[in-house]
């Protein structure tokens, strides 16, 4: 019973929210301007996976954030490994990868106990 209450009182940390927002942005950006097919597919898939991994790290297992670390490394490498389109796509994916990498390595989590936020 206490485990269920702990899961219900857990609130996402700022780095987890950043990764969630970046995942949503990646998905949107894949369709916002022209990309080569490989870059577009890679960008929206990484975006969806980033959202899923962020949600899992928020509500199931905080260690799932390391999956976003791996995704960010792949996103950074894919800028050069896959056919390039516009310079905007390259910059977008590089910057998102860097921010996602830093946020995913941040260990800050918070829980709410009796209305107070505590850092765990």
């Amino acid at each position: 019973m206490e485990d269920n209450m702990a899961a219900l009182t857990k609130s996402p940390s700022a780095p987890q929210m950043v990764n969630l927002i970046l995942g949503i942005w990646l998905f949107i950006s894949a369709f916002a301007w022209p990309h080569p097919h490989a870059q577009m597919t890679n960008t929206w898939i990484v975006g969806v996976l980033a959202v899923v991994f962020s949600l899992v790290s928020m509500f199931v297992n905080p260690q799932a954030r390391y999956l976003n670390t791996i995704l960010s490394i792949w996103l950074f490498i894919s800028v050069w490994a896959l056919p390039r389109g516009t310079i905007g796509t390259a910059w977008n994916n590089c910057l998102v990868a860097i921010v996602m990498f830093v946020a995913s390595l941040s260990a800050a989590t918070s829980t709410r106990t009796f209305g107070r936020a505590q850092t765990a």
Side-chain angles (χ1 to χ4, degrees):
M1 179 73 152
E2 288 182 26
D3 290 338
N4 290 341
M5 290 303 292
L8 292 174
T9 59
K10 183 178 177 180
S11 72
S13 67
Q16 291 169 326
M17 290 301 296
V18 166
N19 275 335
L20 179 69
I21 292 166
L22 288 173
I24 293 168
W25 168 248
L26 277 175
F27 182 81
I28 292 169
S29 71
F31 304 101
W33 61 84
H35 291 63
H37 182 69
Q39 281 287 356
M40 182 182 81
T41 303
N42 182 63
T43 301
W44 76 258
I45 289 173
V46 169
V48 168
L49 289 174
V51 168
V52 169
F53 296 157
S54 295
L55 291 172
V56 170
S57 75
M58 285 181 204
F59 300 110
V60 179
N61 182 356
Q63 300 303 316
R65 69 190 172 155
Y66 295 119
L67 295 171
N68 273 336
T69 305
I70 295 167
L71 275 180
S72 66
I73 293 168
W74 165 248
L75 184 62
F76 190 83
I77 291 170
S78 71
V79 170
W80 292 278
L82 298 175
R84 270 194 238 163
T86 65
I87 192 74
T89 298
W91 274 103
N92 178 67
N93 288 359
C94 277
L95 293 174
V96 168
I98 292 167
V99 175
M100 186 184 298
F101 181 81
V102 171
S104 68
L105 291 178
S106 173
T109 59
S110 65
T111 56
R112 296 216 175 261
T113 306
F114 304 112
R116 297 177 310 180
Q118 296 178 343
T119 302

